[in-house]
Amino acid sequence: MESSGKKSERMIQLELLLMSHPEGMRRAEIARRLGVHRATVGRYIDELSTRVPIWEKEYRIGLELDQIQEFPHLGLLESINLYLALDYFAEHTGVKNPPAAAAVRKIAGFFNGSAPFLSRRLYGVADKIDDETKPESLTTIVLLEQLAEAWVAGKKVRITRNSGKKSEEVCSILNLEFSKSVDEAIPVTIVAKPAGQEQYALALNDIAMIEILLDDAERD
């Protein structure tokens, strides 16, 4: 079964491919470029079409580029601060993080024409995040994806910790923050709040399992 991280990376690669081919591409060529089966490409396209407008004509598929908002223009200081923030994240990420690397490459692609120097630097940041010398941690990436899904959807979660007195707890996710610790696989701290109790911070590394519940979460 395809991993969540690999799928996220390929979904971004698919969108970038179609953006760079305004004339459209055949499914077979997309499959070859992504290294997947044509049936998988079909599923990717169906999912992508829920987020961006897609056209299909004469066996070619493309993006309705005139309906897609372009990446906003950034000034020099804005661009440098974006680069520094992403590079800081890359320096403090202890495992390979393909979705994060793919996202940075997507941003770098937007700067190819207008700011090639910055684009090259951002591609370098993506390579740093995806460094082959870093260990893989699919479990950590899946946990982060589940937390993000619950946070955005506004749903409570049942968190099972790796250790501690309260090994299992139902809570709301109030925020996801950059961790100040340098000893974590992915430097993310979860601000969680159990019902009727004070909120607290929990490191991603301290979580063993997450279950997204149907109950609406509290909002800060």
Side-chain angles (χ1 to χ4, degrees):
M1 186 176 67
E2 184 178 35
S3 71
S4 175
K6 197 67 176 177
K7 178 184 175 182
S8 298
E9 183 177 12
R10 283 172 173 159
M11 286 292 295
I12 294 174
Q13 290 173 345
L14 170 61
E15 190 171 350
L16 284 173
L17 265 178
L18 295 179
M19 287 186 70
S20 62
H21 291 80
E23 76 283 2
M25 298 180 70
R26 296 180 181 272
R27 290 174 185 257
E29 176 62 13
I30 296 172
R32 187 185 70 79
R33 294 286 194 95
L34 297 182
V36 298
H37 193 274
R38 284 184 62 179
T40 303
V41 168
R43 292 195 296 272
Y44 286 174
I45 291 171
D46 288 342
E47 185 170 335
L48 183 62
S49 67
T50 64
R51 297 190 287 107
V52 296
I54 289 178
W55 59 263
E56 187 166 3
K57 184 179 180 181
E58 296 178 352
Y59 304 105
R60 287 184 175 271
I61 296 166
L63 299 182
E64 298 283 3
L65 296 177
D66 58 335
Q67 297 184 36
I68 299 176
Q69 184 178 3
E70 294 184 357
F71 197 82
H73 173 73
L74 297 180
L76 177 60
L77 286 178
E78 293 171 321
S79 302
I80 293 302
N81 278 288
L82 173 65
Y83 162 72
L84 291 174
L86 293 173
D87 189 58
Y88 188 81
F89 175 81
E91 286 287 349
H92 291 83
T93 298
V95 298
K96 292 178 69 174
N97 190 336
V104 175
R105 290 190 180 99
K106 186 174 183 179
I107 295 172
F110 281 109
F111 287 104
N112 268 334
S114 60
F117 174 80
L118 177 61
S119 179
R120 290 194 300 272
R121 292 287 180 174
L122 287 170
Y123 278 121
V125 169
D127 291 341
K128 193 182 296 185
I129 295 173
D130 228 9
D131 193 329
E132 289 297 329
T133 63
K134 290 182 177 180
E136 294 186 355
S137 182
L138 177 60
T139 300
T140 305
I141 292 173
V142 170
L143 288 174
L144 179 58
E145 182 179 39
Q146 291 174 316
L147 283 166
E149 182 180 341
W151 183 37
V152 172
K155 298 298 180 182
K156 290 184 177 181
V157 295
R158 179 177 286 108
I159 292 178
T160 302
R161 300 194 197 187
N162 288 316
S163 60
K165 293 181 179 179
K166 288 189 177 180
S167 60
E168 187 175 289
E169 193 166 40
V170 173
C171 58
S172 301
I173 305 301
L174 300 185
N175 201 12
L176 299 179
E177 301 176 349
F178 192 88
S179 174
K180 296 183 176 68
S181 172
V182 296
D183 300 320
E184 298 180 15
I186 297 179
V188 172
T189 295
I190 299 93
V191 180
K193 185 181 185 304
Q197 300 181 39
E198 293 295 321
Q199 66 185 50
Y200 63 89
L202 179 65
L204 184 60
N205 284 5
D206 293 335
I207 298 175
M209 188 169 62
I210 294 167
E211 179 187 358
I212 301 176
L213 307 176
L214 297 177
D215 300 329
D216 291 336
E218 295 181 41
R219 293 295 193 183
D220 57 354

